[in-house]
Amino acid sequence: RFYEDHESLVENVLYWGRDHHNSNKLYFVQQPDKYDMFVQPEKYLISVSQPNENVDTLKSGSLRAKYNANQLRSDLIGQFFTNNNNVRVPEIEGNLFLRSDGKKVWKKYFFSLRSSGLYYCPKGKPKSTKDLICLTAFELNCVYYGFGWRKKFKAPNDYGFAIKHPQIQTKSPKHIKYLCAESQDDLKLWMTGIRIAKYGHHLLENYKQFKINVEHSNTLDDDDDGGCVNTTNNTTGDELLNK
């Protein structure tokens, strides 16, 4: 999994324990789309029950969307990240494959993302919220990407993710929920939605700090060039994220 900028790396590594058979590793990698939810919020901040005018306008490609994109996106982010204690979770719904406990069998269910956790309907599409069952909560659990599941777990595709407590190191199906999205875009949507549900306003604060760090770095680069304009580094945080 990817650690968020506000998380304590040491505290999370301590969850691994001291088992000498533990093969966990840390990698420092670039993740260009880490804050894509703030660069292109219309792709992630969606509402099923209340269609959003800003989202529709941005996706339309109209002149209004072209010339007012920054303001529309800022308004959209503000609608979801209103304050520290009140973050709206995107209302993501759709089909996901769920691995049956203790078996290499995957079944497709209708899932719904809520602030309290990930819910699904055991039979068909729900007629009301009463038909939904909570598969797992997010408060104590983290979301992980899945790799090599086609061979290991007979997964239907390569768009897998799992939800578990970080202290669980054994691949126990009783305590780990294995899921697969239907496409790469769906995987990004679900993963981003779960991150918002779990971390809330921390993500926006992380993004703001990231932009400050980028701008500070660019300023230092300009100073090193004796005041000349640096065409390779003179970019904003949003532009860097789009590369």
Side-chain angles (χ1 to χ4, degrees):
R1 79 180 183 94
F2 291 100
Y3 292 106
E4 303 295 344
D5 292 349
H6 68 278
E7 291 188 274
S8 169
L9 188 60
V10 174
E11 288 182 7
N12 280 276
V13 170
L14 288 176
Y15 281 130
W16 296 356
R18 298 184 178 182
D19 187 351
H20 66 280
H21 295 297
N22 193 319
S23 60
N24 291 349
K25 296 179 181 179
L26 287 172
Y27 292 93
F28 292 89
V29 298
Q30 290 185 334
Q31 191 184 7
D33 60 350
K34 183 174 184 178
Y35 293 119
D36 198 38
M37 72 188 81
F38 300 117
V39 180
Q40 302 181 85
E42 66 273 17
K43 293 174 59 177
Y44 306 96
L45 305 183
I46 59 176
S47 174
V48 176
S49 59
Q50 298 178 341
N52 192 289
E53 182 181 352
N54 288 343
V55 172
D56 295 338
T57 302
L58 285 165
K59 288 185 176 181
S60 69
S62 64
L63 288 176
R64 179 169 179 256
K66 181 179 179 180
Y67 292 108
N68 298 284
N70 289 339
Q71 185 59 51
L72 289 169
R73 287 179 174 129
S74 179
D75 291 345
L76 179 58
I77 293 170
Q79 291 170 15
F80 280 80
F81 294 83
T82 53
N83 57 59
N84 293 341
N85 299 317
N86 184 21
V87 174
R88 279 179 57 193
V89 174
E91 297 178 24
I92 303 172
E93 295 182 344
N95 293 325
L96 291 172
F97 294 95
L98 174 65
R99 183 191 177 199
S100 300
D101 290 346
K103 302 177 182 178
K104 293 184 179 180
V105 177
W106 297 75
K107 294 183 179 180
K108 185 185 292 188
Y109 297 100
F110 181 88
F111 279 81
S112 180
L113 179 66
R114 296 290 184 266
S115 59
S116 56
L118 187 62
Y119 291 74
Y120 77 108
C121 183
K123 296 181 180 180
K125 193 171 182 178
K127 296 180 180 179
S128 70
T129 55
K130 295 180 180 179
D131 297 328
L132 294 172
I133 298 175
C134 183
L135 177 71
T136 182
F138 301 133
E139 184 178 2
L140 300 177
N141 296 316
C142 296
V143 61
Y144 298 76
Y145 285 94
F147 295 96
W149 285 6
R150 278 181 179 268
K151 181 178 180 180
K152 187 181 297 183
F153 300 133
K154 305 297 182 184
N157 55 47
D158 295 320
Y159 313 122
F161 65 98
I163 301 174
K164 73 177 184 70
H165 191 284
Q167 198 166 4
I168 297 174
Q169 299 300 311
T170 58
K171 296 179 175 61
S172 170
K174 293 182 179 180
H175 305 291
I176 303 176
K177 304 304 179 184
Y178 297 90
L179 302 111
C180 277
E182 294 187 304
S183 68
Q184 181 65 40
D185 288 341
D186 284 348
L187 175 62
K188 288 179 62 177
L189 185 64
W190 283 101
M191 293 291 281
T192 301
I194 292 173
R195 287 172 61 205
I196 294 173
K198 179 172 177 60
Y199 300 110
H201 208 269
H202 282 298
L203 297 178
L204 181 58
E205 293 302 317
N206 292 345
Y207 174 62
K208 290 179 179 178
Q209 186 60 50
F210 168 79
K211 292 185 68 175
I212 291 173
N213 293 341
V214 170
E215 291 167 0
H216 179 66
S217 176
N218 290 340
T219 300
L220 292 177
D221 288 339
D222 289 344
D223 290 342
D224 290 341
D225 290 339
C228 296
V229 176
N230 188 324
T231 57
T232 59
N233 290 311
N234 191 24
T235 56
T236 65
D238 289 348
E239 290 169 337
L240 283 174
L241 288 170
N242 277 320
K243 289 185 177 180

